[in-house]
Amino acid sequence: MIMKGIVLSCMRSKENQHNNHMIIKPIGIDSREQASGLIGKKVIWKSPSGKLLVGKITRTHGTRGEVKVRFERPLPGQALGDYVEIK
């Protein structure tokens, strides 16, 4: 089953920014309990040039169904607001 998600932001604090940890909102997931069922699934972002960047859902984020994804290589800034596939 393939789901869609939207890249919201990267993981950051006041001083630091971690570009390979992204916060993603899966479409159709509205609670932490539903989002916890996605832990361990793969996330794929396709760049405009055709490259595929693959990540893995590691944990939930917040109470509205967002998840944290760790990518091997950091996503570029143009990925913010773009769609990803969750497999």
Side-chain angles (χ1 to χ4, degrees), residues 30-33 61-66:
D30 296 324
S31 70
R32 180 180 286 191
E33 290 77 24
H61 177 78
T63 58
R64 295 185 181 174
E66 291 96 3

Side-chain angles (χ1 to χ4, degrees), residues 5-78:
I6 299 174
V7 179
L8 298 180
S9 176
C10 61
M11 189 175 84
R12 60 189 175 90
S13 66
K14 188 175 177 183
E15 294 88 10
N16 299 320
Q17 180 172 324
H18 304 280
N19 292 332
N20 61 338
H21 292 268
M22 303 300 287
I23 298 172
I24 292 181
K25 172 68 174 148
I27 296 174
I29 303 292
D30 296 324
S31 70
R32 180 180 286 191
E33 290 77 24
Q34 291 176 330
S36 65
L38 299 175
I39 294 175
K41 296 199 181 257
K42 287 190 176 186
V43 176
I44 299 171
W45 178 74
K46 187 174 183 181
S47 71
S49 65
K51 283 187 180 179
L52 297 178
L53 294 176
V54 180
K56 184 178 178 182
I57 297 176
T58 58
R59 57 175 288 194
T60 61
H61 177 78
T63 58
R64 295 185 181 174
E66 291 96 3
V67 292
K68 283 189 180 178
V69 179
R70 185 172 197 284
F71 285 90
E72 292 293 323
R73 296 185 56 93
L75 291 185
Q78 64 188 352

